[in-house]
Amino acid sequence: MTVIQRILSAPLNIFLSLLGVNERHFKVLLAAKLKMDFRRPPNSFQSAGKKQTLIKQLFIYAFLGAIMLLSLYRIPDLMLQLSVFYAFLIVFAGTIMLTEFTSVLFDESENHVLLPRPVSSRTLLIVRLIHVLIYIGNITLSLSLPFSIYLAINYGFIALAFLLGVFLCAWFIMLLVVGIYMSLSRLVSASRFKDVLNYLQIGLAIIIMASYQLVPNFIEDANMEQLTFTHAWWTQLVPSVWFAGFVRFLSGMGEGNDVVLFLITIGVTILESVILVRTLSSGFNAIIAESGAGTVTKKKEVIKVNAKQPWLEKVIDLLCVSSVEKMGWAFTMSHIKSDRKLKQQLYPMFAYSIIMVIVFLKPQVNNFGAYMAELGQSSKYLMFFLAGFFGTIGISIIPYTDTPKAAWIYEVASTNKKYHMQSGAIKAVLFTFFLPLYVLYLVPIIWIWGVSVLPHIILGASLSAALAILLVKLQKQPLPFSQAREMVNKGEYTLKMLLGMAMVGVIIGLVYLVSLAHIGLSIGLCVMMPFIIVLCYRLIRSQKVAIRV
Amino acid sequence: MKQTSIHIRGLRKSFGKGADAKEVLKGIDLSIESGQIIGYIGPNGAGKSTTVKILCGILTSFEGDIEVMGIPLRNNAIEVKRKIGYVPENGALYEALTPAEYLNLVGTLFDMSSSLIGERTDSLLKYFEMSQHANQRMDTFSKGMKQKILIIAGLINNPDILFLDEPLSGLDANSVILVKDMLTRLAKQGKTIFYSSHLMDVVEKISDRIILIDNGQVIADGTFEELQQDSKASLEQVFAKLTGGEERVGESGILDEVFKN
């Protein structure tokens, strides 16, 4: 090791020894993990390597950051700009931690490699945390890059402090989420933990998303060009304000209270790290060991699996065009029911969907009658298309599994209808998640806007479904459960969700324009939609060149 | 007098909770001396792998008391792990790494010096005729080659006790001879070999003591000769007799029915 390397690694070594982590174990494990992340599978026929995939993804995140800058640019007050940005970052990093990296943290696939060796819970937890942080850090830094350039041009040195704040912010939210997980593990047994984790994820998703809504609502209601930040006692309780104060203080632009915010940022981050690693980490090995151990199928689950649902079988017969497509449907649903990692990604999304509806509608308890009357006159029902699109998200995670080798079945199956599996899988997700979500949303929609908007809703829902199917074709999505879950692909799911939602924005615009015309146009388009959807499915099924698995 | 390397009292283990709980181990008592080769056998689902996983500190929640090399396993798992080697049944490897990289990782986790890791890696790879593959990625290896790396990884820390769960899986005939010879030599050095397997002929030939478990309980424990009970039965026949396998052979008529049409 060179002198420079020693100097550079000194802070990390101090940090590790403070946390009581075995430095040598930590370094060898992290190095091995990073090495494996970027090694291409020997039989890979992908044109781009893993590094290129990651770089492409980070570039798109930077583009999203640039779009976000457009709204931040209008805020004249630096402190407020920073607070809003960090609030967004906290929600974003929290979301990605909940939906994409929770499964990495509690991954049991390496139990037989690590658990028989003398590695402490503390070391193993911190290795996984830093491993995840590297990826979340990359994503959040990419997202923050446009804003940091803006800050560098306008304020100079503050950009560096801002980027350091971004890193600390990602660490803060990660530790907060994991701290809550590990606190929960104290209340339930290690074997029970994996069962309750999904519920906790959904709960946390709701809390994170709901808390964020305070900021944009506040801004939306005010004249943005004249907003300034004023210190108040309660602002010191808001994490995004801590990081904003941290940045201003560190860059020498701090005012009165910023030193307090700086100290809170540093203090909370250190305290969080110490509490998590020194106190809560002790049961970590037990959690992953018991998660990976033999599970007992609950008696009621056995009954559920064995139970025939004649109505569902009839629906599947009606909607599927071939036996392979039916198999694709059944195969996908059994996977979703039994794959915990898949559920960990999928279920928090429904919490986001419902929260999004509440945010759009902004229910006001005071003067409820006037509020409802005003809402009924608006076109806010169009916003349900965004919330409904969450029901399609499952489609983008279907290709990933822990057992990609099992996909040899696609290679040996004596059928030329491989892609019927794909269309069957899409139908299963749309029928099981997308359709019920819309049916659920029809209740408030009809209550508030009446049945007259029904054609618009059906049109928007159908267009969303068609978009979801087309995205599979456009993105050349691999066959169901044929790809390994790779660290470099993490972030892709959230990215697809954001890009998909941007496209739903176009659908909202289209339906709005249609709603301005005679209702007959909507009804006519609704009649056409089944044909369009059938065409989209044909596109999926007609793929001839097999994607090598 | 020989030292007791593994001491188990009232070992119980359940998966699941309440009405859905399934008791996999139902009170196992064992005392194993150093230098013995223990053949740990039983039908599928009898609790063999669960026992091994508990003894290796992989599964941490269990009832009963376990001492490994005189150290209570509960609350001292790290200390116990330093003294054992574990060879799992299937490729529990970081396959994207090379054997040299993987063995360096495992050795480092045992706090071995880099030079000692290098020496042992070279010698063990040579013993298993894998030296020429030291720097190739393991995801290109055959099942048998991966199994050899697992065995080497289990030995790299020079353990006092070696736990093997189906170690011969995928190995060719020459490698099987090599492993059998290795186990005998290690036992002569005073190491305890805890060998869990379905391959009765190997267990029969190499084990000093055979422990048969079924349905989470020890149903037979002794030397091969003691288990034979003056008969000339093979271990396979003894196994079938004790675990009800002989009766199940009669049910093979089902197969004829299945393929009738």
Side-chain angles (χ1 to χ4, degrees):
Chain A
M1 198 185 247
T2 64
V3 177
I4 295 170
Q5 279 175 322
R6 274 177 206 278
I7 293 168
L8 286 175
S9 64
L12 178 68
N13 295 345
I14 294 168
F15 172 71
L16 293 175
S17 65
L18 262 176
L19 296 177
V21 171
N22 185 314
E23 188 189 315
R24 203 165 161 233
H25 290 183
F26 169 85
K27 286 182 179 168
V28 75
L29 280 169
L30 189 61
K33 279 176 177 289
L34 292 173
K35 206 178 271 179
M36 288 188 290
D37 288 347
F38 289 97
R39 283 193 175 165
R40 201 190 290 200
N43 56 351
S44 172
F45 286 82
Q46 290 169 340
S47 53
K50 290 182 178 179
K51 267 186 190 157
Q52 282 86 340
T53 308
L54 185 66
I55 289 167
K56 199 170 84 183
Q57 201 185 92
L58 295 181
F59 185 77
I60 301 172
Y61 273 113
F63 177 70
L64 288 174
I67 293 171
M68 214 200 141
L69 182 61
L70 296 175
S71 58
L72 285 173
Y73 184 73
R74 292 171 58 205
I75 306 171
D77 185 299
L78 175 66
M79 185 70 179
L80 199 58
Q81 270 183 331
L82 289 168
S83 300
V84 171
F85 184 85
Y86 280 120
F88 169 75
L89 205 67
I90 286 172
V91 173
F92 180 80
T95 303
I96 211 164
M97 180 69 207
L98 283 169
T99 56
E100 303 219 36
F101 291 100
T102 294
S103 55
V104 176
L105 199 70
F106 297 106
D107 182 25
E108 67 270 9
S109 63
E110 51 185 17
N111 280 5
H112 283 89
V113 177
L114 296 177
L115 297 185
R117 325 289 184 208
V119 191
S120 67
S121 279
R122 206 175 270 181
T123 304
L124 200 53
L125 176 62
I126 204 83
V127 166
R128 289 199 176 174
L129 281 175
I130 299 287
H131 189 209
V132 169
L133 179 70
I134 288 170
Y135 287 90
I136 293 188
N138 275 336
I139 291 170
T140 50
L141 285 173
S142 302
L143 204 62
S144 313
L145 204 63
F147 190 45
S148 73
I149 293 169
Y150 162 84
L151 289 174
I153 293 167
N154 288 285
Y155 304 96
F157 173 71
I158 197 171
L160 286 177
F162 165 72
L163 289 175
L164 181 64
V166 167
F167 184 77
L168 275 183
C169 186
W171 182 240
F172 162 78
I173 190 69
M174 241 182 74
L175 290 195
L176 190 67
V177 170
V178 179
I180 294 170
Y181 287 159
M182 295 306 294
S183 303
L184 174 81
S185 74
R186 298 267 157 155
L187 304 175
V188 296
S189 67
S191 55
R192 187 96 185 90
F193 177 75
K194 59 188 174 185
D195 299 326
V196 291
L197 187 60
N198 268 155
Y199 299 109
L200 186 68
Q201 276 181 292
I202 293 169
L204 279 175
I206 292 172
I207 292 167
I208 290 178
M209 200 73 176
S211 61
Y212 175 65
Q213 297 313 321
L214 294 170
V215 179
N217 284 356
F218 165 63
I219 288 171
E220 208 176 290
D221 293 343
N223 186 353
M224 213 186 273
E225 282 76 13
Q226 288 171 13
L227 275 176
T228 52
F229 181 86
T230 318
H231 276 294
W233 68 267
W234 59 268
T235 57
Q236 292 173 29
L237 302 175
V238 181
S240 61
V241 175
W242 303 341
F243 291 101
F246 167 86
V247 172
R248 281 212 313 190
F249 178 81
L250 205 66
S251 57
M253 296 173 71
E255 291 170 15
N257 215 25
D258 287 349
V259 63
V260 178
L261 297 173
F262 172 83
L263 291 173
I264 291 176
T265 307
I266 299 291
V268 166
T269 315
I270 292 175
L271 197 68
E272 220 185 6
S273 309
V274 171
I275 290 174
L276 176 67
V277 180
R278 293 198 78 103
T279 313
L280 295 174
S281 68
S282 58
F284 185 68
N285 281 5
I287 290 170
I288 54 173
E290 294 293 330
S291 298
T295 47
V296 177
T297 310
K298 290 178 182 168
K299 282 168 190 156
K300 59 182 176 189
E301 281 175 3
V302 176
I303 294 163
K304 219 164 137 186
V305 170
N306 292 338
K308 295 255 178 196
Q309 292 174 296
W311 69 269
L312 184 60
E313 282 176 16
K314 278 182 188 156
V315 170
I316 296 173
D317 283 343
L318 190 73
L319 294 179
C320 294
V321 296
S322 68
S323 56
V324 180
E325 202 172 58
K326 283 180 203 168
M327 181 47 65
W329 180 310
F331 180 57
T332 303
M333 288 319 297
S334 344
H335 242 283
I336 289 176
K337 278 177 193 162
S338 59
D339 189 331
R340 205 177 327 123
K341 286 181 184 171
L342 223 147
K343 285 192 230 173
Q344 281 171 353
Q345 279 190 290
L346 196 56
Y347 290 172
M349 285 298 157
F350 295 102
Y352 288 136
S353 174
I354 290 165
I355 281 286
M356 196 169 260
V357 169
I358 296 167
V359 168
F360 289 146
L361 301 186
K362 285 188 203 156
Q364 287 167 16
V365 183
N366 301 332
N367 206 359
F368 189 69
Y371 159 78
M372 287 294 281
E374 195 189 327
L375 196 63
Q377 297 301 313
S378 72
S379 297
K380 279 191 174 177
Y381 63 87
L382 295 171
M383 292 299 160
F384 277 89
F385 300 155
L386 274 178
F389 196 68
F390 280 100
T392 69
I393 295 299
I395 294 172
S396 61
I397 48 174
I398 295 172
Y400 301 104
T401 175
D402 279 340
T403 52
K405 283 181 185 171
W408 61 269
I409 194 78
Y410 293 130
E411 294 291 306
V412 300
S414 58
T415 175
N416 56 1
K417 292 179 179 172
K418 270 180 214 173
Y419 284 92
H420 285 223
M421 287 291 285
Q422 180 98 292
S423 56
I426 299 168
K427 283 179 182 176
V429 173
L430 290 182
F431 183 79
T432 315
F433 301 109
F434 179 72
L435 194 63
L437 207 57
Y438 262 96
V439 171
L440 177 77
Y441 289 151
L442 275 182
V443 177
I445 289 171
I446 291 173
W447 181 42
I448 300 169
W449 288 277
V451 285
S452 61
V453 297
L454 214 53
H456 308 322
I457 297 295
I458 294 171
L459 180 62
S462 310
L463 284 171
S464 300
L467 171 69
I469 303 164
L470 278 178
L471 283 175
V472 171
K473 169 80 178 167
L474 293 173
Q475 291 166 344
K476 293 180 181 165
Q477 187 167 304
L479 287 166
F481 312 109
S482 63
Q483 305 294 307
R485 292 186 173 110
E486 306 266 13
M487 277 302 270
V488 290
N489 289 335
K490 299 283 171 192
E492 192 182 278
Y493 172 57
T494 310
L495 197 58
K496 279 184 180 171
M497 183 187 81
L498 291 172
L499 293 175
M501 288 179 79
M503 290 186 193
V504 174
V506 177
I507 291 176
I508 290 174
L510 278 174
V511 178
Y512 177 70
L513 289 176
V514 170
S515 73
L516 297 177
H518 189 269
I519 189 83
L521 180 61
S522 275
I523 295 171
L525 287 171
C526 283
V527 173
M528 281 172 64
M529 281 318 292
F531 298 103
I532 293 173
I533 291 175
V534 166
L535 273 177
C536 292
Y537 276 122
R538 283 191 73 131
L539 272 175
I540 298 287
R541 285 195 300 264
S542 64
Q543 293 178 89
K544 295 285 179 216
V545 183
I547 296 169
R548 194 166 280 273
V549 291
Chain B
M1 190 181 154
K2 282 190 174 176
Q3 192 193 349
T4 302
S5 57
I6 302 170
H7 189 75
I8 304 172
R9 275 287 157 267
L11 177 60
R12 288 175 177 274
K13 170 73 187 171
S14 298
F15 292 112
K17 286 267 165 191
D20 296 315
K22 188 185 174 197
E23 198 174 25
V24 179
L25 298 178
K26 299 172 179 172
I28 290 189
D29 299 301
L30 285 175
S31 203
I32 295 165
E33 287 176 356
S34 297
Q36 279 191 328
I37 299 181
I38 304 296
Y40 197 61
I41 58 174
N44 292 332
K48 300 188 297 295
S49 291
T50 303
T51 314
V52 173
K53 282 177 189 165
I54 290 172
L55 292 173
C56 291
I58 297 175
L59 290 179
T60 50
S61 82
F62 57 86
E63 286 175 49
D65 295 311
I66 298 173
E67 279 186 16
V68 178
M69 301 305 294
I71 306 165
L73 179 61
R74 208 186 290 279
N75 304 325
N76 298 292
I78 297 275
E79 215 179 318
V80 166
K81 287 175 189 179
R82 287 186 204 286
K83 297 185 179 295
I84 63 167
Y86 172 56
V87 181
E89 181 181 1
N90 43 35
L93 290 165
Y94 287 148
E95 292 187 9
L97 298 182
T98 66
E101 288 168 339
Y102 179 71
L103 295 170
N104 177 55
L105 168 80
V106 175
T108 307
L109 297 181
F110 280 106
D111 295 320
M112 292 163 62
S113 69
S114 301
S115 57
L116 185 60
I117 296 171
E119 273 171 38
R120 291 226 180 115
T121 298
D122 290 345
S123 310
L124 290 167
L125 285 173
K126 197 173 168 190
Y127 181 80
F128 283 97
E129 296 165 342
M130 290 288 289
S131 298
Q132 69 275 32
H133 303 294
N135 295 308
Q136 288 172 11
R137 278 171 55 175
M138 293 186 286
D139 43 18
T140 61
F141 284 8
S142 68
K143 197 177 171 192
M145 288 160 84
K146 286 177 192 167
Q147 196 61 30
K148 286 179 184 177
I149 302 301
L150 284 174
I151 296 173
I152 296 172
L155 289 169
I156 198 139
N157 60 319
N158 188 19
D160 293 320
I161 307 172
L162 183 62
F163 291 96
L164 303 111
D165 197 353
E166 295 292 355
L168 304 182
S169 173
L171 292 183
D172 58 38
N174 288 337
S175 304
V176 170
I177 295 169
L178 201 69
V179 173
K180 284 191 321 198
D181 176 64
M182 176 198 82
L183 294 178
T184 315
R185 283 172 192 273
L186 291 175
K188 276 182 188 157
Q189 288 176 19
K191 295 186 193 303
T192 306
I193 311 293
F194 197 93
Y195 184 96
S196 170
S197 179
H198 289 106
L199 298 176
M200 298 297 148
D201 54 337
V202 180
V203 173
E204 183 183 317
K205 280 174 193 146
I206 65 166
S207 303
D208 301 315
R209 177 179 164 194
I210 296 168
I211 299 166
L212 173 57
I213 71 161
D214 191 15
N215 200 19
Q217 287 172 313
V218 175
I219 57 167
D221 183 355
T223 62
F224 174 51
E225 290 73 26
E226 284 167 351
L227 261 55
Q228 279 179 309
Q229 290 179 328
D230 300 327
S231 70
K232 293 217 168 153
S234 66
L235 183 59
E236 199 171 75
Q237 287 165 324
V238 172
F239 180 91
K241 190 180 166 191
L242 290 171
T243 59
E246 283 177 335
E247 294 153 29
R248 284 197 283 270
V249 171
E251 293 165 18
S252 61
I254 294 170
L255 202 59
D256 302 331
E257 283 295 311
V258 171
F259 297 116
K260 212 160 75 176
N261 299 314

